[in-house]
Amino acid sequence: MGEPGFWDDQESAAKVSAEHSRTQRKLDGFRTLESDIDDLETLEEMAAEDESMAEELRDQYTSVAARLADLELNRLFAGDYDAGDAIVTVNSGAGGTDSQDWAEMLLRMLLRYAENRGFKVEMVEASEGEEAGIKSATFIARGENAYGLFSAEKGVHRLVRISPFDSQSRRHTAFAGVEVTPLVDEVSDIEIDEDDLQIDTYRASGAGGQHVNKTDSAVRITHKPSGIVVQCQNERSQSSNKNTAMAMLRSKLLELEERKRQEELARERGETQSAEWGNQIRSYVLHPYTMVKDHRTNEEAGDVQRVLDGDLDRFVRAELERRAMSSA
């Protein structure tokens, strides 16, 4: 950063500066933790002689343990895009109205999780269900390790409950899927032919004021070779929505290429690698008992409401650790 001419290229300089800030925060956090751990030894000796120091020792120990847990979690982010932002899409699955209602509950859970982690969230689009809930919704989570964390939620989520839409109060099972893609500003390896795109404009629905329902500002882009569909309706102008949708498309195409590469490597190693989409990763049971169980890690929780309110740390951590073990 001290080199002559560093700031001549503002865009490049901004990226390096941001990376420097992230690295400096990590280093400062580590050094502070190291110092506080050293202080613990002194506090322990003082608390052994003076009981009034016991509470301070407990507080310091709790603080050190929490920061150490975060540091241990951060070591699990080894992917090329783990440190960056994430595009998160929730789609309703099999189950009719129950599925669309479940998709909205799932969206709320993920948004609460993003809020708990201090991420900035930008809603991109939401398609309402016929009777209740949503058919789909997409948001961008911006913050350190957003993609790495949200990637642990990728897959199909299953809900079992007494349906509020069944007049006979029978138990129903509903499914909703979560897709997570890294948001990449520049994808030099991905070339998109304009002839491969079908671009549709439509009138945005849902909340957003009078303008959102009166102009065809929403944009839907279909990439015909891959079948990938992206859409954006959060901006007032059609051009802004198109730019955001194109950024999402580039990111999804990049992820598709990466998935193909991983599958090819797995075949070369003689491994069987099933596609994540279509696999049930977690069940949320509200009846006849209450439990959340992750089928990849066997992590369980009895307080379903707490999980639905965004308390996902234990599930995310368990999945990240499982991945680290399997790739070791």
Coordinates of all heavy atoms in Angstrom, one line a residue, residues 1 20 34 43 67 80 112 120 126-127 183 200 207 240 287:
M1 N 0.8 -1.2 0.0 CA 0.0 0.0 0.0 C 0.9 1.3 0.0 O 0.4 2.3 -0.4 CB -0.9 0.0 1.2 CG -2.0 -1.1 1.2 SD -3.0 -1.2 2.7 CE -3.8 0.4 2.7
H20 N -6.5 -5.7 3.6 CA -5.6 -5.3 4.7 C -6.3 -5.1 6.0 O -5.9 -5.5 7.0 CB -4.9 -4.0 4.3 CG -4.0 -3.5 5.4 ND1 -4.5 -2.5 6.2 CD2 -2.7 -3.7 5.7 CE1 -3.5 -2.2 7.1 NE2 -2.5 -2.9 6.8
E34 N -4.4 -13.6 22.9 CA -3.2 -14.1 23.4 C -2.9 -13.4 24.8 O -2.5 -14.1 25.8 CB -2.1 -13.9 22.4 CG -0.9 -14.8 22.6 CD 0.1 -14.7 21.5 OE1 0.2 -13.6 20.9 OE2 0.7 -15.7 21.1
L43 N -4.9 -13.9 37.0 CA -6.2 -13.8 37.7 C -6.5 -15.1 38.6 O -7.0 -15.0 39.7 CB -7.3 -13.6 36.7 CG -7.6 -12.1 36.3 CD1 -8.6 -12.1 35.2 CD2 -8.0 -11.3 37.4
R67 N -14.3 -16.0 22.4 CA -13.5 -15.5 21.3 C -12.6 -16.6 20.7 O -12.3 -16.7 19.5 CB -12.6 -14.4 21.8 CG -13.3 -13.0 21.9 CD -12.4 -11.9 22.4 NE -12.2 -12.1 23.8 CZ -11.1 -11.6 24.5 NH1 -10.1 -11.1 23.8 NH2 -11.0 -11.8 25.8
D80 N -12.2 -20.7 -1.6 CA -11.8 -19.5 -2.3 C -12.8 -18.3 -2.0 O -12.4 -17.2 -2.0 CB -11.7 -19.7 -3.8 CG -10.6 -20.6 -4.2 OD1 -9.6 -20.8 -3.4 OD2 -10.7 -21.2 -5.3
R112 N -32.9 -13.9 10.3 CA -32.6 -13.7 11.7 C -31.1 -14.1 12.0 O -30.4 -13.4 12.8 CB -33.5 -14.5 12.6 CG -34.9 -13.9 12.7 CD -34.9 -12.6 13.6 NE -36.3 -12.1 13.8 CZ -37.0 -12.4 14.8 NH1 -36.6 -13.3 15.7 NH2 -38.2 -11.9 14.9
K120 N -25.1 -7.3 6.8 CA -26.0 -6.4 6.1 C -26.8 -7.2 5.1 O -26.2 -8.1 4.3 CB -25.2 -5.3 5.4 CG -24.5 -4.3 6.3 CD -23.8 -3.2 5.5 CE -23.1 -2.3 6.5 NZ -22.4 -1.2 5.7
A126 N -38.9 -11.4 -4.0 CA -39.8 -12.3 -3.3 C -41.0 -12.5 -4.1 O -41.7 -11.5 -4.5 CB -40.1 -11.7 -1.9
S127 N -41.4 -13.7 -4.3 CA -42.6 -14.1 -5.0 C -43.6 -14.7 -4.0 O -43.3 -15.7 -3.4 CB -42.4 -15.1 -6.1 OG -41.4 -14.5 -7.0
L183 N -21.2 -14.3 -3.9 CA -21.4 -13.1 -4.7 C -20.0 -12.6 -5.2 O -19.2 -12.2 -4.4 CB -22.1 -12.0 -4.0 CG -22.3 -10.7 -4.7 CD1 -23.2 -10.9 -5.9 CD2 -22.9 -9.6 -3.8
D200 N -36.7 -11.1 -19.5 CA -38.1 -10.7 -19.3 C -38.2 -9.7 -18.3 O -37.6 -9.7 -17.2 CB -39.0 -11.9 -18.9 CG -38.9 -13.1 -19.9 OD1 -39.1 -12.8 -21.1 OD2 -38.5 -14.2 -19.5
A207 N -44.4 -5.7 -1.2 CA -44.2 -4.4 -0.6 C -43.1 -3.7 -1.4 O -42.3 -4.2 -2.1 CB -43.7 -4.6 0.8
S240 N -30.9 -1.0 -13.2 CA -30.3 -1.4 -11.9 C -30.6 -2.9 -11.6 O -29.8 -3.7 -11.1 CB -30.7 -0.5 -10.8 OG -30.3 0.8 -11.0
H287 N -44.5 -31.8 15.7 CA -45.5 -32.7 16.2 C -45.1 -34.1 15.7 O -44.8 -34.3 14.6 CB -46.9 -32.3 15.7 CG -48.0 -33.2 16.3 ND1 -48.6 -32.9 17.5 CD2 -48.6 -34.3 15.8 CE1 -49.5 -33.8 17.7 NE2 -49.6 -34.6 16.7

